[in-house]
Amino acid sequence: MQLHDPLTGRLRSVRAHPFAFLAMAATLLLIPWTLIYISQLPDHHTAKHWNLAWAGFDIGLCVALGVTAWCALRERALLIIALVVSATLLVCDAWFDVATSLDTADEAVTLVTALAIELPLAGYFAFLAHRLLRTTIRISRPEYAGSALRSVPLATDRSEAPAAPVTR
């Protein structure tokens, strides 16, 4: 079967995407791994290279935020991905800052930072990504303008009529 790429209009073959199987396998393998962590990891652990781990994460967050700013200023489509990545990293940063500071002198500061800055910014970025994606669909795929994102296909076979869009 061949489908028209919605962005280029070119025909491309459709086959099972290996990354879908990889993602499913990773999901299934992560379940027992997480259960092992929950049941066997100690509450306290001294880690080597703690500063390297946090500095590396913060550098990654800075790069993501910088790319997000650049994409916004240049009005690039990559902004949607940059917003999602930045939002995800902000949530992860808030989670790990709060989780690792519980019962320490830094607990109040990390809670305030997470609740007042990181999580609201992550939520705003997610909202913007969703809005940009909806706008892109409305303009490029008007037949799906009122559809839930989960029902909008990446490509349609132009030889067949599009499936009836599912509205919210």
Side-chain angles (χ1 to χ4, degrees):
M1 177 202 288
Q2 294 206 332
L3 296 177
H4 286 273
D5 186 305
L7 300 176
T8 65
R10 290 185 228 151
L11 283 174
R12 63 177 178 85
S13 64
V14 176
R15 59 186 178 278
H17 292 288
F19 63 83
F21 296 111
L22 180 64
M24 182 55 69
T27 301
L28 294 174
L29 289 172
L30 191 57
I31 293 169
W33 185 262
T34 304
L35 294 173
I36 290 169
Y37 267 14
I38 291 170
S39 64
Q40 296 183 2
L41 282 180
D43 289 340
H44 178 76
H45 180 77
T46 302
K48 292 183 179 183
H49 310 294
W50 183 255
N51 56 347
L52 180 64
W54 278 111
F57 183 86
D58 285 344
I59 288 169
L61 179 56
C62 285
V63 168
L65 292 170
V67 168
T68 302
W70 182 88
C71 290
L73 290 170
R74 301 284 187 196
E75 297 181 354
R76 300 291 188 241
L78 186 61
L79 177 59
I80 296 170
I81 295 169
L83 285 165
V84 171
V85 169
S86 291
T88 302
L89 291 177
L90 284 164
V91 170
C92 291
D93 192 37
W95 170 260
F96 285 107
D97 284 348
V98 170
T100 58
S101 72
L102 293 176
D103 298 327
T104 70
D106 297 329
E107 181 177 12
V109 172
T110 58
L111 277 170
V112 168
T113 303
L115 294 174
I117 299 170
E118 292 174 314
L119 295 177
L121 188 58
Y124 182 60
F125 281 7
F127 166 77
L128 288 177
H130 183 266
R131 193 172 88 182
L132 288 168
L133 191 53
R134 298 290 316 161
T135 301
T136 302
I137 290 167
R138 183 175 43 80
I139 292 168
S140 65
R141 308 284 302 275
E143 68 272 22
Y144 293 101
S147 302
L149 288 178
R150 68 182 174 277
S151 65
V152 178
L154 291 176
T156 59
D157 185 354
R158 294 196 182 186
S159 65
E160 299 174 15
V166 178
T167 58
R168 293 199 244 179

